Amino acid sequence: MATVKLKNIKKTYPNGAVAVQGVDMAIEDGEFIVFVGPSGCGKSTMLRMVAGLENITDGEIEIDDRVINKVSPADRDVAMVFQNYALYPHMTVRGNMAYGLKNRGLPKAEINQKVTDAAKMLRIHDFLDRQPNQLSGGQRQRVAMGRAIVRDPKVFLFDEPLSNLDAKLRVQMRIEIKRLQRKMGVTSIYVTHDQTEAMTLADRLAVINDGRIEQMGAPIELYNNPATLFVASFIGAPQINLIPVQFDGKNLNSGDLQFSGFKDLPENTDLILGIRPDVLEPNNDGQLEMQVDLVEQHGAENLVYGALNGASTTDGYITEICFKTNQNTQPAIDSILRLHFDQSHAMVFNKETGERLI
Amino acid sequence: MSNINWRIILNHTILLIGVIFMSLPVWVAFSTSTHSAETILREGLQFWPGTNFIGTYREVLFEQGGVMKSVLGITMLKNSMILGIGFAIGKVIVSMLAAYAIVYFRFRLATPLFWIIFLTLLLPLEVRIIPSYEVVAGLGLLDTNFGLIVPLIASATGTFYFRQFFKSIPEELLEAARLDGATPWRFFVDILIPLSKTMIAAILIIMFVVGWNQYLWPLIMTTKEENYTLVIGIKQIYQILSEGGELPQYQKAFALTILATLPPVLVVLFFQNWFVKGLVESEK
Amino acid sequence: MKRVQFEHSTIPYLFIAPQIIIIAIFFLWPAAQAVHQSFLLEDAFGLSSQFVWFKNYFDTIGDASWRQAAWFTTVFSVLVTFLSLGIALLLAVKANEVIRGARTYRTTLMWAYAIAPPVAGLMGNLMFHPLIGDLYKFLNTIGWDFNHKLDSFDAGFVVVLIAVWKQVSVNFIFFLSGLQGISKAVNEAAMMDCKSPTRRFWTITFPLLAPTTFFLMVINITYAFFETFGIIDTTTGGAPGGSTNTLVYKVFQDGFRGADLGGSSAQSVVLMLIVLALTVIQFRFIERKVHY
């Protein structure tokens, strides 16, 4: 049980590369925090700084109000699950789980008890005497979790622990991790680049970009109310539709398209209109016109993709559009549809700064 | 179909020629060693084993004056063993420790020390043989096992083998071990040594062969006959042969050749898979 | 180097100390001695010596016998490297191709690795022995007036042959494992794209083996320079007339037999410089081209 505080932490590598540029964060006791962002954004570096595997260039990290910048990884009372599991290949499952406890000098009986309990909880007690190479990917993953759990740490750290599993196992383990964490109530930090994992696991989500926190909050909050263009486009699958526009004092314009009802926006500035695929619906009076070129059937729902007619083309923004609908709506390929969106669901961003305006 | 068959026959023919090219000299050496000196002088080399196997090898191994003036073949065999095994073990210990320091620690002199070690790869013993001899002689180490073995360990091949291998071990293992509270020494003993078992075995084998086959260094290091290794003995018997005498004992020369060849060849054949793995690992 | 390392002030030095101490005493000190001695001229009895700057170097390089050895070393290295690589590659490709007996071939082709060069030398020497050597007789029956004791070309032939024989197995092991390292999928893709096995070899397999080949070239040149010492010492001993002296063999001969310490040391230093230069060339110019 612990709180974790990051106070203006920075990381600069000896070669001058800046990985983390001043991050502040307060993690509550028992909270499940997910760091999500594209690869190279600094999320793993931040996690490793909490673990003590990476030096902190500047700032302070506190666990339970104790500054741990100079404390060795073993004495921070944190446990970590690695992406490739990092199991000791020459030790049995039992040996792997017990190693950390042995180094802490716990009595044998207690170690045994803890290992057995954790193994039962993870349903790996039948494999305790096997070696890692005799286990499947999912089982290895559990052993890696077990090794963290037996330590009974203040903080769990997860570094993309599911990315080496196949899709089905990944979903299964995701649910299991969440349940375990609930049950044990241990403060956890979880790093991933997968936004579905991030959305489903997190109590609070930190979207990281370029060594900074873009936005932090409950997953649904970030989805509904992204603070920046980056967050809006990173969170949500399928991705939000982005249309380059300009404001003329009354309407938003993009090529031949015109969207009315917007106000208080800067003129002569490149703006981006963002519309989530699930707020678009076919309607003959709709503001947008699309030519369908692909329908993806996902079972309960269909995703319809096509070209957006009439929009201006700006570098980097393809005039492609997607909307989500139920399984019964199946527009023909090449058919022309009009799509409607409720203005209150539309978001407007400054293209240059990425700042959310509406 | 017939096309394919021709190709297979051609492949096997080429391989068989290769096998004969590689094996025949040793086979002939062995066969000839089992004939008497008279037969060899009269008929030349022999392709089939004769009847004198036990006689020749007993004389070479166990009889005084059988091959050298005083030293027995079996003593030379023992000396070769000491050199091979001592060198292999010494090399593995020294180089594994050094490689561990280089790969797993951040310390101030790491870079210059690494380059010093690298330098030894470029300048083999042969080019600094005379000053090396003088240093060892000055330390009073001539004709000692220590003086024979330790200077050979100066070349850092083993260190580089281990360095390559350690680098191939996933970093997360060290990170996990640190979170598990392992000290540097514990990590070395609990994790690194068990993980390196195969590699250690492979390097022991390679280094045994390298040590056994040392020539120039033991040649100048050993002044007393009783310290000769088999490989050095060969040089001596060759000199005796070329000086001439009553009846040149060619069969003994061949027998000594076979004795010098057999142990390293057996080790390599017996531990073939480890040996190949260890050797090839060095390339990466 | 690892991204994460232990940070400790004394432990790494303890671990690395044995290696460094051995290197300091038995490598750095002798190497420094060699450099020092290369500037000295000793009198005939070794009683006194004087500092003569680069005289030994000029004498070395100016000496016809040194230049002869340098020339022989070059030709010898090139021949040994290319012949042993070529034979080994051919055998490895075939051993990789056949299914029946692949393991037996592998074993019988690689074991010669364990034979010491001087042992190979002595074996070869007896095969070419004028009295009992069948190869000697054979070459003379087919009309080659063969005598490696007198004819320098014949002597070179013997040394090259034995040196190649000894080196084929190492190269074979590396080539075979290189071939086995080429992914099956790449081979299968190549089979669909190209019908001729020969063409497939030169356009796909051989380029993929380039890193192995480069590595082996380094190994083989080092071998030809240094390790063949034992072969030369047990076959020709540099004879006839120094025509089969390699540079290394000459260092030994002049230093030990000839007791010319200054000259021998100067040769050592020149040899060190040659090896350094070769290494730099290999890494700067060749390696860059063969890695993907």
Side-chain angles (χ1 to χ4, degrees):
Chain A
M1 307 289 134
T3 60
V4 179
K5 286 200 191 83
L6 310 188
K7 292 185 174 167
N8 194 26
I9 59 162
K10 289 179 185 157
K11 173 76 190 181
T12 311
Y13 284 106
N15 64 11
V18 179
V20 178
Q21 29 191 346
V23 164
D24 281 295
M25 185 185 296
I27 300 172
E28 300 295 316
D29 183 18
E31 225 182 350
F32 199 121
I33 297 289
V34 175
F35 294 173
V36 66
S39 60
C41 71
K43 57 187 190 300
S44 277
T45 312
M46 284 166 57
L47 186 81
R48 294 162 56 80
M49 285 199 280
V50 175
L53 299 171
E54 205 87 63
N55 284 329
I56 300 163
T57 313
D58 202 3
E60 278 179 355
I61 298 183
E62 290 177 5
I63 295 181
D64 271 349
D65 301 322
R66 178 175 84 135
V67 178
I68 50 149
N69 285 33
K70 295 276 174 242
V71 179
S72 86
D75 298 329
R76 292 186 182 198
D77 207 2
V78 299
M80 184 152 164
V81 180
F82 293 85
Q83 177 173 1
N84 63 6
Y85 319 138
L87 299 178
Y88 309 121
H90 59 294
M91 293 183 188
T92 59
V93 169
R94 189 191 301 280
N96 266 283
M97 289 169 71
Y99 188 63
L101 300 178
K102 262 190 212 153
N103 285 330
R104 283 181 171 66
L106 260 65
K108 257 209 173 112
E110 194 182 338
I111 295 179
N112 254 330
Q113 190 56 45
K114 287 191 175 214
V115 170
T116 315
D117 290 348
K120 278 200 180 127
M121 188 153 49
L122 289 160
R123 282 174 284 128
I124 49 173
H125 47 279
D126 290 341
F127 316 127
L128 275 176
D129 294 313
R130 292 208 198 153
Q131 298 212 323
N133 60 10
Q134 297 167 294
L135 303 177
S136 70
Q139 288 163 346
R140 280 180 217 185
Q141 224 287 319
R142 282 165 199 274
V143 177
M145 299 262 304
R147 191 167 63 178
I149 287 174
V150 288
R151 292 259 316 277
D152 200 8
K154 284 183 173 168
V155 183
F156 275 144
L157 305 172
F158 298 89
D159 191 4
E160 311 217 10
L162 303 182
S163 55
N164 282 0
L165 298 177
D166 62 48
K168 199 178 155 192
L169 262 174
R170 205 179 305 168
V171 174
Q172 201 182 320
M173 285 307 295
R174 189 170 84 201
I175 294 167
E176 218 161 310
I177 288 178
K178 182 74 180 172
R179 279 201 188 117
L180 266 172
Q181 196 268 344
R182 281 264 166 77
K183 193 163 136 196
M184 301 180 63
V186 177
T187 313
S188 301
I189 306 177
Y190 187 109
V191 163
T192 181
H193 62 263
D194 179 321
Q195 62 98 23
T196 317
E197 242 170 61
M199 294 281 287
T200 48
L201 282 168
D203 292 332
R204 276 196 301 155
L205 195 57
V207 178
I208 317 242
N209 184 29
D210 208 11
R212 277 197 204 90
I213 298 183
E214 287 270 333
Q215 191 178 0
M216 187 161 176
I220 198 65
E221 169 72 15
L222 263 58
Y223 180 80
N224 288 335
N225 237 333
T228 63
L229 182 57
F230 181 83
V231 176
S233 56
F234 197 81
I235 303 287
Q239 224 192 346
I240 190 168
N241 294 300
L242 300 172
I243 304 165
V245 291
Q246 287 225 331
F247 189 59
D248 64 1
K250 264 159 68 187
N251 300 316
L252 286 173
N253 300 298
S254 175
D256 302 338
L257 301 175
Q258 209 164 56
F259 309 102
S260 58
F262 293 90
K263 54 185 174 185
D264 298 336
L265 288 168
E267 294 173 40
N268 295 324
T269 313
D270 284 336
L271 304 173
I272 300 288
L273 175 64
I275 311 159
R276 294 255 180 229
D278 47 357
V279 303
L280 284 167
E281 51 188 3
N283 183 321
N284 287 338
D285 300 328
Q287 306 96 312
L288 301 169
E289 186 185 272
M290 93 181 276
Q291 179 168 14
V292 176
D293 68 2
L294 178 72
V295 179
E296 255 186 5
Q297 294 180 295
H298 286 249
E301 66 203 22
N302 288 346
L303 296 178
V304 183
Y305 296 89
L308 175 62
N309 288 340
S312 74
T313 49
T314 313
D315 289 346
Y317 293 87
I318 36 168
T319 48
E320 201 196 53
I321 197 153
C322 164
F323 74 95
K324 197 188 259 187
T325 181
N326 59 33
Q327 61 166 309
N328 299 320
T329 313
Q330 247 268 50
I333 303 298
D334 284 342
S335 61
I336 307 274
L337 286 180
R338 288 204 77 85
L339 297 171
H340 173 266
F341 63 92
D342 185 354
Q343 214 194 90
S344 62
H345 287 132
M347 308 172 198
V348 180
F349 303 92
N350 183 320
K351 187 186 170 195
E352 199 65 35
T353 63
E355 181 197 357
R356 169 102 180 263
L357 303 171
I358 292 178
Chain B
M1 202 61 209
S2 68
N3 218 343
I4 295 167
N5 279 337
W6 274 115
R7 207 178 155 74
I8 290 175
I9 290 168
L10 178 70
N11 286 349
H12 282 278
T13 312
I14 290 174
L15 283 168
L16 280 173
I17 293 173
V19 168
I20 291 171
F21 174 67
M22 294 312 296
S23 311
L24 196 62
V26 182
W27 173 250
V28 168
F30 171 73
S31 298
T32 310
S33 74
T34 60
H35 287 266
S36 68
E38 292 82 359
T39 318
I40 300 168
L41 202 57
R42 202 171 52 238
E43 298 173 12
L45 301 177
Q46 300 294 317
F47 284 86
W48 302 110
T51 52
N52 211 20
F53 172 76
I54 295 174
T56 308
Y57 282 81
R58 195 186 55 208
E59 215 178 321
V60 168
L61 277 173
F62 303 110
E63 276 176 30
Q64 188 133 57
V67 42
M68 298 284 118
K69 267 188 231 96
S70 63
V71 67
L72 302 179
I74 192 84
T75 313
M76 293 196 286
L77 190 74
K78 188 193 80 189
N79 291 337
S80 281
M81 279 291 173
I82 293 174
L83 175 55
I85 294 173
F87 174 71
I89 293 176
K91 190 101 172 175
V92 163
I93 294 174
V94 168
S95 55
M96 201 171 169
L97 291 174
Y100 179 52
I102 291 172
V103 175
Y104 282 99
F105 288 86
R106 205 189 311 267
F107 57 105
R108 190 123 49 103
L109 295 176
T111 314
L113 290 181
F114 174 78
W115 282 108
I116 287 176
I117 292 174
F118 184 70
L119 200 64
T120 65
L121 290 188
L122 301 180
L123 306 173
L125 190 64
E126 282 86 349
V127 299
R128 53 192 157 85
I129 191 77
I130 292 159
S132 296
Y133 170 81
E134 284 171 350
V135 166
V136 174
L139 294 171
L141 293 172
L142 292 182
D143 280 310
T144 63
N145 284 327
F146 187 85
L148 181 62
I149 293 169
V150 176
L152 291 172
I153 296 176
S155 148
T157 42
T159 312
F160 279 80
Y161 282 124
F162 276 114
R163 176 173 163 268
Q164 286 314 102
F165 177 70
F166 289 165
K167 282 170 78 179
S168 74
I169 294 177
E171 316 202 4
E172 284 83 355
L173 279 187
L174 173 62
E175 304 185 339
R178 287 183 68 189
L179 287 171
D180 274 341
T183 58
W185 178 248
R186 279 253 76 83
F187 178 73
F188 187 63
V189 174
D190 289 345
I191 316 269
L192 215 51
I193 291 179
L195 278 182
S196 312
K197 262 193 259 167
T198 320
M199 195 60 195
I200 293 172
I203 293 180
L204 278 176
I205 293 161
I206 294 170
M207 292 304 163
F208 172 77
V209 173
V210 171
W212 179 283
N213 287 346
Q214 283 301 318
Y215 179 62
L216 180 56
W217 182 242
L219 189 65
I220 64 166
M221 269 290 304
T222 51
T223 56
K224 297 183 190 132
E225 218 181 48
E226 75 209 49
N227 291 323
Y228 281 176
T229 63
L230 281 171
V231 178
I232 305 309
I234 283 182
K235 162 82 175 172
Q236 304 303 323
I237 202 167
Y238 167 67
Q239 263 172 357
I240 295 166
L241 281 184
S242 52
E243 278 160 14
E246 328 86 76
L247 182 57
Q249 302 287 306
Y250 292 115
Q251 84 284 10
K252 288 186 190 165
F254 280 117
L256 207 61
T257 310
I258 294 297
L259 285 176
T261 303
L262 210 55
V265 166
L266 285 182
V267 166
V268 162
L269 287 185
F270 202 72
F271 301 106
Q272 205 184 110
N273 291 332
W274 279 351
F275 155 76
V276 169
K277 185 181 176 300
L279 198 63
V280 171
E281 200 76 32
S282 65
E283 180 193 356
K284 288 168 189 145
Chain C
M1 292 304 102
K2 300 269 175 184
R3 191 169 44 155
V4 172
Q5 293 167 311
F6 286 113
E7 292 190 43
H8 222 285
S9 47
T10 47
I11 289 186
Y13 292 102
L14 290 179
F15 276 103
I16 207 170
Q19 175 96 65
I20 295 296
I21 290 169
I22 292 174
I23 287 178
I25 298 175
F26 297 110
F27 178 86
L28 293 179
W29 177 238
Q33 290 265 300
V35 174
H36 178 66
Q37 269 166 356
S38 70
F39 292 104
L40 300 179
L41 188 65
E42 282 194 18
D43 68 21
F45 307 102
L47 295 175
S48 67
S49 55
Q50 78 187 99
F51 194 78
V52 292
W53 288 105
F54 291 95
K55 183 177 183 306
N56 289 324
Y57 289 90
F58 294 133
D59 287 355
T60 292
I61 298 172
D63 182 12
S65 70
W66 188 83
R67 274 179 285 163
Q68 186 190 19
W71 172 240
F72 177 73
T73 309
T74 312
V75 175
F76 177 71
S77 307
V78 171
L79 280 177
V80 168
T81 302
F82 280 93
L83 287 174
S84 63
L85 282 177
I87 295 171
L89 181 59
L90 176 71
L91 291 172
V93 168
K94 297 304 172 195
N96 192 39
E97 216 171 286
V98 297
I99 297 154
R100 206 181 278 266
R103 212 185 140 75
T104 317
Y105 284 128
R106 192 184 97 168
T107 308
T108 43
L109 286 170
M110 63 168 259
W111 62 266
Y113 167 85
I115 297 177
V119 176
L122 182 69
M123 228 182 272
N125 192 52
L126 289 168
M127 304 286 156
F128 283 105
H129 196 284
L131 281 180
I132 61 162
D134 285 12
L135 279 171
Y136 183 88
K137 293 175 197 158
F138 172 74
L139 289 176
N140 276 295
T141 16
I142 60 165
W144 179 349
D145 182 18
F146 183 87
N147 191 335
H148 61 290
K149 304 270 181 206
L150 297 175
D151 186 293
S152 52
F153 178 84
D154 295 354
F157 172 80
V158 170
V159 191
V160 169
L161 181 71
I162 298 171
V164 169
W165 181 81
K166 166 70 192 106
Q167 191 64 1
V168 164
S169 47
V170 183
N171 296 337
F172 172 79
I173 293 169
F174 277 97
F175 274 134
L176 187 61
S177 97
L179 286 166
Q180 286 166 346
I182 296 175
S183 96
K184 232 180 137 189
V186 168
N187 275 328
E188 287 167 348
M191 273 205 245
M192 294 182 184
D193 289 338
C194 174
K195 191 163 165 269
S196 151
T198 319
R199 204 180 142 65
R200 231 163 34 221
F201 174 78
W202 290 111
T203 53
I204 307 290
T205 315
F206 190 69
L208 286 177
L209 278 179
T212 308
T213 314
F214 166 73
F215 170 81
L216 284 177
M217 275 174 69
V218 178
I219 295 282
N220 279 266
I221 291 171
T222 318
Y223 163 80
F225 261 71
F226 300 109
E227 288 166 53
T228 51
F229 178 95
I231 294 177
I232 291 169
D233 196 37
T234 50
T235 49
T236 63
S243 63
T244 54
N245 262 345
T246 57
L247 288 171
V248 171
Y249 198 67
K250 198 168 152 46
V251 170
F252 169 76
Q253 285 234 315
D254 292 357
F256 266 89
R257 303 263 158 76
D260 171 16
L261 277 185
S264 168
S265 301
Q267 287 183 39
S268 289
V269 176
V270 171
L271 197 51
M272 292 183 202
L273 294 176
I274 293 175
V275 175
L276 277 174
L278 275 179
T279 313
V280 171
I281 292 170
Q282 280 163 344
F283 280 89
R284 289 289 296 271
F285 301 108
I286 307 179
E287 197 187 21
R288 207 180 283 168
K289 289 189 181 143
V290 296
H291 279 283
Y292 304 103

